[in-house]
Amino acid sequence: GTVEAPPSVGFGYAAQDAALDPEMSGAETLALFAALHRIPRSRRAAIIVEIATRFGLTEHLPRLVAGYSGGLRRRLHLALVWLSAPDLLLLDEPTAGLDPAGRALIWELIAERAARGGTVVVATHDLTQVQRHCSRVVILERGRALADGPPAEIAHRHAGPRMLLQLTAAPTDQHAIEDAVAALAGVSAVRCRGDQVAVDTEPGSQPHDHVVAALAGTGHEVSVISFLRDDLEGAYFRLAGRPLADARSGP
């Protein structure tokens, strides 16, 4: 008897760095990749128009890629991957270099592709969007898989109590804040981003007053304190087993 070959699966890959020819226009780049993907000539123009519209590139297509901003280069790079509608998408930090609108657009397109039955594998540090959009998460730290499963399950199982403190002004030395708070009893991890400080606390501990005092000692006043739990970012730092201040030294 004969053995049927398994159906082929098309896949697209977008690296973190976009390798685009700066001397080609956006339209020429899309047309070249449409030809390389063997999209029939009769369909190429319509597909290019559709992809350019979805990625917000239409008005930029006549321009040379050399004149594109970093965000536009990123959008064009991802549009090339979407062009052939592959069954499997492999994306390495797809929203790097994009403004908030661009990041929201890419995650929307990722969710849309998944909803249509495609598979999208994303390597990213954007844990908020991962928790919102992904059905399965593998948390990696120094080459080790720390957790594997649905994001809500990982967050519920591994995230502990967290505090989010809003400062009255963004600090000039985030490392000093992280070091001061990380030294407190009952604190397991600290992240300072802009004018917000996220603090993971050990179960049963209540170092709230001490955290506020430590921040005051660094010259910063707290305007709002929120209490969170069961989020993926908290789970990651608990699984990694070290505060951000320690992580700065690298592997």
Side-chain angles (χ1 to χ4, degrees), residues 87-204:
D87 305 292
L88 172 63
L89 284 174
L90 306 176
L91 309 177
D92 186 2
E93 295 291 352
T95 59
L98 293 176
D99 59 18
R103 292 196 295 272
L105 170 65
I106 298 307
W107 279 107
E108 179 183 329
L109 292 172
I110 289 173
E112 178 185 297
R113 175 55 58 86
R116 291 183 176 181
T119 300
V120 186
V121 179
V122 183
T124 182
H125 293 88
D126 193 343
L127 298 181
T128 300
Q129 295 296 338
V130 166
Q131 185 161 354
R132 180 178 302 170
H133 293 291
C134 296
S135 59
R136 178 182 174 186
V137 174
V138 179
I139 294 181
L140 299 173
E141 166 70 7
R142 297 183 177 183
R144 295 179 297 119
L146 304 180
D148 181 351
E153 177 182 309
I154 292 175
H156 179 71
R157 179 178 300 176
H158 299 288
R162 302 186 69 213
M163 303 168 56
L164 185 64
L165 302 101
Q166 180 74 46
L167 304 179
T168 55
T172 56
D173 188 354
Q174 296 183 352
H175 292 174
I177 286 180
E178 291 167 354
D179 291 340
V181 176
L184 298 174
V187 171
S188 58
V190 184
R191 278 88 61 207
C192 182
R193 294 177 179 172
D195 58 357
Q196 291 187 331
V197 181
V199 181
D200 288 355
T201 61
E202 298 294 343

Side-chain angles (χ1 to χ4, degrees), residues 26-110:
E28 290 170 337
T29 303
L30 285 168
L32 172 62
F33 274 76
L36 292 174
H37 285 301
R38 298 181 179 179
I39 295 174
R41 289 180 180 273
S42 60
R43 298 176 52 213
R44 286 180 195 172
I47 289 176
I48 288 173
V49 168
E50 177 188 352
I51 290 294
T53 300
R54 296 176 72 189
F55 280 84
L57 294 168
T58 303
E59 64 180 285
H60 306 285
L61 290 185
R63 297 168 48 203
L64 294 181
V65 172
Y68 279 23
S69 65
L72 283 176
R73 285 171 179 258
R74 192 64 179 164
R75 290 194 187 205
L76 178 58
H77 182 51
L78 292 168
L80 299 177
V81 178
W82 252 260
L83 194 61
S84 62
D87 305 292
L88 172 63
L89 284 174
L90 306 176
L91 309 177
D92 186 2
E93 295 291 352
T95 59
L98 293 176
D99 59 18
R103 292 196 295 272
L105 170 65
I106 298 307
W107 279 107
E108 179 183 329
L109 292 172
I110 289 173

